């Protein structure tokens, strides 16, 4: 049998796995169109069957018999919910340990030096979905007053049957690259709660167009700045300024690869009418309920915190809901934040590059908060009026923040893309480890200044007992 996708991919000069992934993401649009024409008005059982078979078929198209991994994982979660529903804590622990262990074993046996498009890619999405599902089942067994506002919105009082769970897990356009959503959203959709609202098809097609644009920019940019260039002597021979800016622009183009995939997936879900969020400020239906990227903030932001808030949004929300907020008992936001980032790193795999990337995120976001604190508490009270009225300062301020945004994104994404220590440390060395050095300089200045302030005698407060005329 001729592999048509592989033949076309070879002619285009792209990996066949990546081309199949793209076709699968785009398949979400005809699947959505067929749903509206033939399935939407049918009984819910037929809808569940449609989504389950569509998703499983697409999974098999990409990964063949390796589809059994996801089917096994879903079956185990269903069995655990059936058997251990009366013991929610035990259900949570076993469900969490099973899915994370299975995923990590998959990484162990399949990992290479590159970002692999194997069965482990959709399985990492499934792992979060099944772990979150376990938490929602457990929350549904607790008293209403024990739940937070977010937990009340996702708690499941009645577990779904196996077909419904299959449809939720294999939901087309979301099982490959996300986004994440709770079972309650899928339930609301199949109950027809979103069908009364208009504009979903237009919103989906706009997202599709944005995805095409980002993919085109990504391909053009990485043609001029391919990954291998940054491991070459030619890159190391460039001037320092060129090196750090080349690395920054390369990081932008590399991000667009992920963003284009998310935009295709989001657009298909919008076109399906799945992503209703409420009414916007103009009273129109808002279809961004499953958006994984905030394009306006991504392109206009100036800090690493802006990247965190605009990139991989649904995964970050999932971690906040099921990990960060559930560590509230630690009574320490920094420890909870560090634990959440640690979980994300482990979820990505064993490569040292993931751990370095999330460590850098933690360090840079913390540094930004320190700088912002000093700026707002020490600089603005003294010089704020002068600075805010200066056009030259505004231009310099914008240029410096944008340069920082571009340059440090290159530094942060290096280890995430190159994965292996031998590769990303080569790039770090080629740019003189500037990311470490500048943060170390700031840390010495910041903590040195704080120590100096503590050792200085406090000025006496002015007396308030004397009445002034």
């Amino acid at each position: 049998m001729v592999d048509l996708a592989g033949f076309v991919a070879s002619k285009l000069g792209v990996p066949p796995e990546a081309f199949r992934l793209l076709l699968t993401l785009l398949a979400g649009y005809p699947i959505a169109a067929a749903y509206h024409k033939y399935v939407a008005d049918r009984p819910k059982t037929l809808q569940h069957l449609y989504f389950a078979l569509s998703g499983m078929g697409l999974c098999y198209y990409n990964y063949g018999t390796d589809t059994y991994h996801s089917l096994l994982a879903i079956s185990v979660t269903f069995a655990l919910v059936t058997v251990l529903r009366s013991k929610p804590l035990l259900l949570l622990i076993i469900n969490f340990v099973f899915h994370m262990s299975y995923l990590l074993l998959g990484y162990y046996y399949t990992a290479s030096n590159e970002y692999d498009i194997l069965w482990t890619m959709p399985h990492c999405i499934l792992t979060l979905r099944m772990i979150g599902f376990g938490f929602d089942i457990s929350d549904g067994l607790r008293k209403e007053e024990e739940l937070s506002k977010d937990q009340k919105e996702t708690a499941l009082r009645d577990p779904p049957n196996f077909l419904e769970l299959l449809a939720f897990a294999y939901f087309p356009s979301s099982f490959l690259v996300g986004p994440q959503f709770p079972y309650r959203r899928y339930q609301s959709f199949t109950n027809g709660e979103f069908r009364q609202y208009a504009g979903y098809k237009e919103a989906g097609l706009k997202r599709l167009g944005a995805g095409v644009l980002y993919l085109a920019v990504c391909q053009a940019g990485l043609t001029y700045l391919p990954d291998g260039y940054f491991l070459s002597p030619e890159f190391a021979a460039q001037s320092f300024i060129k090196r750090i800016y080349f690395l920054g622009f390369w990081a932008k183009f590399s991000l667009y690869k992920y963003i284009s995939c998310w935009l295709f997936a989001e657009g298909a879900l919008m076109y399906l009418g799945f992503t209703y969020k409420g009414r916007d400020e103009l009273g129109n239906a808002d279809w961004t309920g499953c958006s994984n990227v905030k394009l306006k903030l991504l392109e206009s932001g100036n800090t690493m915190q802006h990247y965190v808030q605009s990139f991989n949004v649904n995964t970050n929300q999932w971690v906040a809901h099921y990990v960060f907020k559930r560590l509230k008992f630690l009574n320490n936001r920094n420890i909870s934040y560090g634990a959440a980032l640690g979980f994300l790193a482990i979820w990505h795999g064993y490569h040292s590059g993931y751990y370095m990337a999330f460590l850098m995120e933690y360090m840079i976001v913390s540094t930004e908060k320190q700088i912002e604190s000093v700026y707002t508490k020490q600089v603005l009270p003294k010089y704020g009026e002068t600075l805010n009225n200066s056009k030259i300062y505004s231009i310099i301020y914008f240029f410096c923040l944008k340069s920082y945004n571009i340059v440090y994104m290159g530094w942060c994404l290096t280890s995430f893309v190159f994965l292996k220590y031998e590769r990303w440390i080569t790039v770090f060395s080629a740019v003189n480890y500037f990311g470490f050095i500048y943060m170390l300089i700031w840390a010495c200045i910041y903590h040195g200044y704080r120590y100096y302030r503590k050792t200085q005698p406090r000025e006496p407060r002015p007396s308030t007992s004397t009445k002034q005329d």
Side-chain angles (χ1 to χ4, degrees):
M1 182 177 179
V2 177
D3 183 1
L4 182 60
F7 175 76
V8 175
S10 65
K11 294 298 182 182
L12 295 174
V14 298
E17 299 84 4
F19 188 66
R20 288 193 193 93
L21 172 63
L22 177 61
L23 292 179
T24 303
L25 293 173
L26 295 177
Y29 295 87
I31 287 175
Y35 170 78
H36 288 298
K37 188 170 184 178
Y38 302 110
V39 184
D41 295 322
R42 303 287 183 175
K44 285 193 289 185
T45 299
L46 186 60
Q47 295 184 45
H48 299 316
L49 187 63
Y50 178 75
F51 292 129
L53 292 178
S54 298
M56 290 176 69
L58 291 174
C59 189
Y60 186 83
Y61 169 70
N62 281 270
Y63 308 109
T65 55
D66 282 337
T67 301
Y68 84 86
H69 293 288
S70 54
L71 189 58
L72 174 62
I74 298 165
S75 301
V76 168
T77 290
F78 182 78
L80 289 173
V81 170
T82 303
V83 175
L84 297 177
R85 189 162 175 259
S86 60
K87 300 177 180 179
L89 181 58
L90 187 60
L91 166 64
L92 277 180
I93 294 173
I94 296 178
N95 190 54
F96 183 93
V97 171
F98 169 77
H99 286 291
M100 287 301 295
S101 300
Y102 199 100
L103 178 65
L104 292 176
L105 281 172
Y107 286 150
Y108 179 79
Y109 285 108
T110 62
S112 69
N113 289 336
E114 308 293 336
Y115 188 87
D116 303 304
I117 302 180
L118 302 171
W119 66 267
T120 51
M121 190 188 75
H123 204 87
C124 74
I125 304 298
L126 179 67
T127 295
L128 295 192
R129 193 162 295 180
M130 291 297 98
I131 290 175
F133 177 76
F135 272 107
D136 294 339
I137 290 290
S138 177
D139 290 341
L141 298 172
R142 296 165 60 190
K143 296 179 180 178
E144 188 82 7
E145 56 270 19
E146 295 177 356
L147 302 176
S148 68
K149 179 184 176 182
D150 292 340
Q151 290 168 354
K152 289 177 183 177
E153 292 176 356
T154 58
L156 284 172
R157 300 295 178 188
D158 300 310
N161 61 39
F162 187 62
L163 176 60
E164 292 167 338
L165 184 60
L166 279 177
F168 167 63
Y170 283 117
F171 199 68
S173 300
S174 73
F175 79 92
L176 270 176
V177 297
Q180 294 292 343
F181 51 82
Y183 184 82
R184 287 276 292 271
R185 172 173 285 278
Y186 174 75
Q187 195 174 50
S188 296
F189 171 72
T190 53
N191 285 339
E193 295 177 21
F194 304 151
R195 295 186 64 191
Q196 59 184 299
Y197 305 107
Y200 55 88
K201 291 184 179 180
E202 295 81 357
L205 292 176
K206 286 180 181 178
R207 217 62 173 172
L208 172 63
V212 171
L213 175 62
Y214 272 84
L215 182 61
V217 173
C218 164
Q219 290 301 109
L222 293 181
T223 299
Y224 288 99
L225 293 173
D227 296 355
Y229 172 66
F230 297 92
L231 300 171
S232 69
E234 289 77 14
F235 172 67
Q238 298 288 344
S239 68
F240 177 71
I241 295 297
K242 282 187 176 180
R243 276 177 276 151
I244 61 175
Y245 273 95
F246 282 174
L247 192 65
F249 286 117
W250 162 82
K252 273 279 190 182
F253 299 140
S254 296
L255 278 183
Y256 289 172
K257 176 170 55 180
Y258 300 100
I259 290 170
S260 61
C261 289
W262 290 334
L263 290 174
F264 291 143
E266 290 170 27
L269 290 175
M270 288 177 177
Y271 198 84
L272 192 60
F274 184 81
T275 60
Y276 181 73
K277 188 179 181 180
R279 296 286 183 180
D280 60 20
E281 61 274 6
L282 299 177
N284 300 317
D286 183 353
W287 293 101
T288 62
C290 293
S291 291
N292 217 14
V293 57
K294 299 177 180 178
L295 294 178
K296 185 176 180 180
L297 180 60
L298 179 78
E299 300 299 348
S300 64
N302 296 318
T303 66
M304 184 59 60
Q305 184 64 35
H306 289 151
Y307 274 115
V308 173
Q309 293 169 350
S310 63
F311 185 80
N312 210 356
V313 176
N314 278 89
T315 302
N316 291 334
Q317 290 175 346
W318 188 98
V319 173
H321 180 62
Y322 293 108
V323 180
F324 178 79
K325 292 181 181 179
R326 293 175 191 263
L327 296 176
K328 189 176 180 180
F329 66 91
L330 296 175
N331 200 30
N332 188 304
R333 289 181 64 87
N334 288 330
I335 294 177
S336 298
Y337 182 49
L341 289 179
F343 171 82
L344 274 176
I346 294 171
W347 172 69
H348 276 86
Y350 294 108
H351 291 301
S352 61
Y354 293 134
Y355 297 87
M356 176 55 68
F358 286 107
L359 175 62
M360 292 307 303
E361 177 187 324
Y362 179 83
M363 293 173 64
I364 292 174
V365 169
S366 299
T367 299
E368 287 177 352
K369 290 179 180 178
Q370 293 170 359
I371 294 174
E372 183 181 12
S373 175
V374 171
Y375 183 74
T376 54
K377 294 179 181 179
Q378 303 296 329
V379 178
L380 288 183
K382 295 181 180 179
Y383 311 106
E385 185 175 351
T386 302
L387 295 175
N388 291 333
N389 292 327
S390 172
K391 291 184 178 180
I392 295 177
Y393 174 75
S394 299
I395 295 172
I396 295 173
Y397 182 81
F398 175 81
F399 176 78
C400 289
L401 277 182
K402 268 301 173 188
S403 295
Y404 160 78
N405 175 266
I406 293 170
V407 167
Y408 256 89
M409 192 63 235
W411 173 263
C412 288
L413 201 67
T414 293
S415 62
F416 191 90
V417 172
F418 288 102
L419 298 177
K420 288 284 188 180
Y421 172 81
E422 296 81 7
R423 289 156 59 84
W424 58 258
I425 200 65
T426 299
V427 183
F428 278 9
S429 175
V431 291
N432 302 338
Y433 304 98
F434 77 89
F436 291 137
I437 293 172
Y438 293 152
M439 280 197 296
L440 180 61
I441 292 173
W442 166 257
C444 292
I445 295 173
Y446 177 73
H447 292 289
Y449 177 73
R450 290 189 66 187
Y451 177 78
Y452 169 77
R453 289 291 298 265
K454 286 181 180 179
T455 58
Q456 296 302 301
R458 294 186 179 181
E459 296 181 4
R461 294 182 179 178
S463 174
T464 58
S465 58
T466 304
K467 196 174 184 179
Q468 295 182 351
D469 294 331

